[in-house]
Amino acid sequence: MMRFDVITLFPDMFCAIKDEGVVARGIKKSLLEIHTWQLRDYSDNKYRNVDDKPYGGGAGMVMQVKPIRSCIEQIKQKNPSSKIIYLSPQGQKLTHQLAIEISKLESVTLLCGRYEGVDERVIEHDVDLEVSIGDYVISGGELAAMVLIDSVSRHVPGVLGNVESLNDSFANGLLDYPHYTRPEIIDGQQVPEVLLSGHQANIDAWREDQSLKSTKKKRQDLIKK
Ligand code: 4FN
């Protein structure tokens, strides 16, 4: 059983993964738990603010230490060993390998940034690991947290069905081979002959070759030295 706690200003966004798909099935099978925490509940004022102006001036607002620390403290009361991960552009890039590593943890707390992000003292004192999903601007850490939860959950034993796990094509670090389904011909486009041959060894060899060719052509960077 793997447990995710998520600290966010937008807990409702997480119904996108809680209600549908692989993660939802993992929850139904009691292999995963996702708990969201509304950061505003840990505000210390009646307006429920959790942000303030940046020291040194400049645009935007910064998420304050106090509400985040109070929320983490509450989460750690039940799960003292939970690793705190801050989703941020400064983080270590999320890869297949890192997803596997994170899936070995029993309990993970994901901190989602908004505005200009969190006060640096949270990162220094409270965060165990910073993770980034890629180099582009996004408006909040929530989508990144959902990407992480999805990619990590797939590696929790039992979450994927047998069929899905067999098709974990990235296991060899290469791009997938092309896929075809019925009909055999559509608008003059044919399914490659070998896939209809019933000769499994030939099919496997063809797919391996297609994977390698596609990776060399489209993603040279994925080819191991
Ligand atoms: N993003 C860049 C440079 C400067 C700012 C950003 C940016 C959300 C709170 C962070 C972004 C990307 C990948 C979280 C981006 C991620 C975020 C992520 C993220 C609101 C502050 C912010 C150089 C990457 C283009 C906004 C680069 N993975 N700031 O997006 O949280 O996890």
Side-chain angles (χ1 to χ4, degrees), residues 86-89 113-117 131-141 144:
Y86 177 42
L87 283 309
S88 97
R114 282 275 158 173
Y115 317 112
E116 306 308 309
V131 174
S132 165
I133 59 161
D135 296 337
Y136 30 78
V137 177
I138 55 179
S139 352

